[in-house]
Amino acid sequence: MAKERIVIIGGDAAGMSAAAKIRRVEPKRDILVLERTDYTSYSACGMPYYIGGLIDEVDSLIVRTPEVFRDKYAIDVRTRHEVVAIDPKAQRVTIRNDQRTEISEPFDQLLIATGARPYCPDVQNVGAEGVFGLSTLASGIRVQQFIKQEKPQKAVVVGGGYIGLEMAEALVRQNLEVSLVQRGREVMETLDPDMGRLVSQALRDIGVNLYLSEELQAFESANGRVKAVITDQRTLPADLVILGMGVRPNSELAEAAGIELGVKNAIKVDERMRTGTENIWAAGDCVATLHRVTGRPFYVALGTVANKQGLVAGTNLSGGSAIFPGVVGTAVSKICKIEVARTGLQEKELLELGADYVTATIKAKTRAGYYPGAGTITVKMTAEKGTGRLLGAQIVGMEGAAKRIDIVATALTAGMTVANLVDLDLSYAPPFSPVWDPVQTAARQLLNNL
Ligand SMILES: Cc1cc2nc3c(=O)[nH]c(=O)nc-3n(C[C@H](O)[C@H](O)[C@H](O)COP(=O)(O)OP(=O)(O)OC[C@H]3O[C@@H](n4cnc5c(N)ncnc54)[C@H](O)[C@@H]3O)c2cc1C
């Protein structure tokens, strides 16, 4: 095994989790990592805080540099090396380096960990200077430098997903006038609109101009630089645009090599992270996974999932046995003062599935009402009619609200009913929660409604 060469495409969460795991198990294994940017093992999740000025040093977003991987882990990490083709039969990858020279390297096992990229429809002037999407650390640094050097005054964020919202807040912190255009009725469409409305309000409260139920049509540019965002209802002047319309998996390399794709064009893998092509594995934002509540294939691009999948791939590639069982749709974010969390299925998804469900929404406090710092928290919970099986929850509230979603995520994973959730022995002391935790208050209300 130790002589077999492993090639990994992509040097961030999934790729480097796998590489580090393999190295821990097999000190002599030949591991080659190919990364097209300058960076490895960075926290893309921290970029809005860096751009917003909460974090001064970009280096603090880098967990391990290529040098550390080379010197301490003896992993052959080559940055500025882009894989441009995979030949599964010959077991070789074609690489283009920063001199634009093409070379070919053999592999015994290949892990594709190419991540995802921001989505943007193919509208006029999408390539204008000043229009940015965020994915890699390099892309975040470009935005930060643009703000520092070009001193833009007016920013438009197109799309109300969590990255767009975190960036809107970051740009407000940098004293830009920020507008946000969103196609849906409210921002954050992974929440039901009644919960999304609370997030929309939080953005308005910090001065973001929201244009809801409005669609991007084109960008206006002059001398190659963005000047405005044109929607179906207005023209918004802009000297900086951030794309926040979700992501698409970087799966074209795999597709061109004949590797099977699945839902949303993400690479299809089994629970051990094997693709349908022999000796080729994939993990992270480029793959599809299983939704454990619906039992159906699902695409989600999150760092937590990518790290776990990388570890699973690395374990299996180094002779161990591990599986990634899927997700239940859990995500958290902090937008302005409020914390936002969701897990399971939202009403839109339940309607698509034709599920018979009941919901309950409660408002409570994050701490005992009399304890300093108690803030509001809204919890919406959903269960299946008849069986009482828990189907999902959404939480919007002040400090301390969001991580409560992990209780519901655990309950969903265990296939619990709402009654089971009411019975849980959750902790209580005034600085942390009311006597009845808001999650259990919502569960009790839902039980009544059922
Ligand atoms: C602004 C922002 C905020 C986020 N916040 C959160 C959060 O709060 N919580 C959370 O869970 N997730 C968050 N995420 C998502 C998280 O960062 C990703 O899910 C995670 O980075 C995915 O890891 P990955 O290794 O699959 O892909 P990536 O991190 O995208 O890494 C893929 C790497 O592959 C390289 N690559 C691609 N193609 C090639 C090629 N052909 N040849 C060589 N190299 C290639 C890329 O340069 C890249 O470095 C956030 C993302 C962004 C952009």
Side-chain angles (χ1 to χ4, degrees):
M1 185 68 98
K3 281 206 187 99
E4 276 203 338
R5 180 186 228 202
I6 296 179
V7 172
I8 298 175
I9 314 173
D12 192 28
M16 295 324 288
S17 295
K21 174 67 187 173
I22 297 163
R23 175 54 74 240
R24 278 197 295 274
V25 178
E26 296 189 297
K28 298 235 173 301
R29 188 74 168 253
D30 178 5
I31 308 169
L32 169 64
V33 177
L34 301 158
E35 165 56 52
R36 66 182 168 195
T37 70
D38 284 313
Y39 306 97
T40 54
S41 219
Y42 49 84
S43 171
C45 316
M47 292 191 305
Y49 312 111
Y50 170 61
I51 294 166
L54 267 177
I55 295 163
D56 293 333
E57 292 298 326
V58 74
D59 285 355
S60 52
L61 299 184
I62 300 170
V63 185
R64 285 188 196 103
T65 60
E67 293 74 32
V68 169
F69 280 113
R70 279 183 218 122
D71 300 344
K72 206 169 149 209
Y73 291 76
I75 294 172
D76 183 3
V77 176
R78 300 187 202 164
T79 51
R80 299 191 189 192
H81 279 62
E82 180 175 13
V83 175
V84 292
I86 302 167
D87 185 338
K89 263 213 177 113
Q91 303 220 148
R92 298 191 78 87
V93 288
T94 308
I95 307 157
R96 192 176 297 145
N97 63 19
D98 54 355
Q99 317 295 315
R100 305 202 67 75
T101 309
E102 284 200 1
I103 44 173
S104 164
E105 288 281 354
F107 63 83
D108 294 297
Q109 303 286 332
L110 177 72
L111 173 64
I112 305 173
T114 45
R117 61 180 178 280
Y119 168 73
C120 186
D122 188 18
V123 297
Q124 207 180 353
N125 295 318
V126 64
E129 198 189 337
V131 178
F132 295 96
L134 269 98
S135 54
T136 59
L137 188 62
S139 67
I141 292 172
R142 278 197 292 275
V143 176
Q144 196 268 352
Q145 285 178 346
F146 185 85
I147 294 173
K148 216 166 134 194
Q149 285 158 15
E150 307 297 328
K151 305 200 172 12
Q153 304 289 308
K154 288 177 194 286
V156 176
V157 176
V158 185
Y162 80 95
I163 292 177
L165 303 188
E166 289 177 0
M167 281 305 298
E169 182 182 354
L171 298 173
V172 168
R173 277 182 184 278
Q174 292 291 6
N175 296 318
L176 275 85
E177 186 188 325
V178 182
S179 302
L180 190 142
V181 176
Q182 155 79 337
R183 191 168 58 172
R185 272 161 57 199
E186 302 293 343
V187 298
M188 217 169 228
E189 288 190 287
T190 51
L191 301 179
D192 295 335
D194 51 340
M195 298 296 281
R197 192 172 308 135
L198 304 173
V199 187
S200 298
Q201 191 51 48
L203 285 158
R204 288 191 190 99
D205 289 346
I206 61 159
V208 176
N209 308 309
L210 281 193
Y211 298 97
L212 302 174
S213 305
E214 251 182 83
E215 206 160 338
L216 169 72
Q217 305 260 290
F219 299 106
E220 212 174 86
S221 79
N223 302 322
R225 290 186 73 144
V226 70
K227 284 284 156 231
V229 173
I230 303 168
T231 77
D232 50 359
Q233 293 177 46
R234 74 195 78 232
T235 296
L236 291 164
D239 35 24
L240 168 65
V241 172
I242 301 288
L243 303 173
M245 291 176 279
V247 299
R248 296 292 181 270
N250 287 329
S251 56
E252 289 77 4
L253 253 186
E255 188 180 20
I259 295 164
E260 192 182 356
L261 303 188
V263 60
K264 301 249 169 102
N265 276 341
I267 302 169
K268 199 169 169 182
V269 287
D270 66 10
E271 56 187 9
R272 300 188 69 216
M273 312 312 298
R274 279 181 304 211
T275 71
T277 302
E278 216 183 338
N279 300 327
I280 302 188
W281 307 64
D285 283 4
C286 59
V287 308
T289 189
L290 175 77
H291 199 301
R292 297 176 71 173
V293 181
T294 63
R296 295 182 179 192
F298 186 63
Y299 177 67
V300 65
L302 284 174
T304 165
V305 175
N307 273 287
K308 288 173 191 156
Q309 291 180 336
L311 182 65
V312 168
T315 304
N316 292 320
L317 277 163
S318 51
S321 178
I323 62 160
F324 183 76
V327 300
V328 293
T330 312
V332 286
S333 190
K334 181 173 166 294
I335 312 293
C336 318
K337 280 185 308 208
I338 61 165
E339 299 183 356
V340 184
R342 56 102 63 218
T343 191
L345 303 171
Q346 63 185 128
E347 289 202 55
K348 189 169 65 182
E349 295 169 299
L350 289 165
L351 290 171
E352 270 167 27
L353 290 168
D356 206 1
Y357 66 92
V358 178
T359 70
T361 305
I362 62 102
K363 276 195 191 307
K365 291 283 179 197
T366 51
R367 302 171 176 179
Y370 55 81
Y371 193 88
T376 53
I377 172 170
T378 306
V379 182
K380 179 173 183 177
M381 200 176 281
T382 311
E384 192 172 49
K385 219 177 192 166
T387 65
R389 179 169 79 111
L390 205 58
L391 292 172
Q394 295 161 36
I395 299 177
V396 177
M398 306 305 280
E399 194 181 345
K403 286 295 276 180
R404 288 181 153 100
I405 205 71
D406 292 340
I407 304 167
V408 189
T410 308
L412 277 174
T413 306
M416 284 166 60
T417 63
V418 183
N420 297 148
L421 188 50
V422 173
D423 289 342
L424 284 182
D425 179 21
L426 300 186
S427 57
Y428 157 70
F432 305 110
S433 78
V435 179
W436 280 90
D437 189 274
V439 164
Q440 281 183 316
T441 305
R444 280 172 60 195
Q445 181 63 52
L446 184 54
L447 205 52
N448 284 340
N449 296 357
L450 279 161

